[in-house]
Amino acid sequence: MKILGLGVPELVVILLVVLLIFGPKNLPKLGSAIGKTFKNLREGMDGKKKDEEKSAAPAETAEEAVEPEAVETVEAAAAEEKKAEA
């Protein structure tokens, strides 16, 4: 069994060195920190993909589908009606 080109004996030596450096009390903290880091990286990458998909998707709400020129025309008509009433 090879992981990243390392066999079982090499992995055991690496784990023993890490245990000696950080000590048994700090290993859970170290593992937790590494796990949270990978989780945040995955969420960040997934979030970026979702943002790209949303920007590529067509407008879904009525406000997004309305053309800006139509909004300006309606606003101008409403302003003219207010002037006519006054």
Side-chain angles (χ1 to χ4, degrees):
M1 176 176 104
K2 296 228 175 200
I3 298 175
L4 298 174
L6 300 173
V8 175
E10 291 91 356
L11 291 174
V12 170
V13 170
I14 292 171
L15 290 174
L16 287 174
V17 170
V18 170
L19 180 64
L20 288 172
I21 293 173
F22 293 105
K25 291 182 182 178
N26 292 330
L27 281 182
K29 293 177 189 175
L30 181 65
S32 175
I34 291 172
K36 286 179 183 178
T37 301
F38 281 117
K39 179 181 176 186
N40 289 337
L41 284 172
R42 268 193 245 137
E43 287 176 354
M45 293 174 75
D46 289 342
K48 184 177 179 183
K49 288 179 185 176
K50 288 179 184 177
D51 289 343
E52 290 173 358
E53 290 172 0
K54 284 183 182 179
S55 65
E60 295 178 4
T61 63
E63 293 177 5
E64 293 174 351
V66 174
E67 296 177 7
E69 297 169 354
V71 172
E72 292 174 2
T73 305
V74 171
E75 290 174 353
E80 287 179 9
E81 287 179 6
K82 285 184 181 180
K83 286 181 184 177
E85 291 176 359

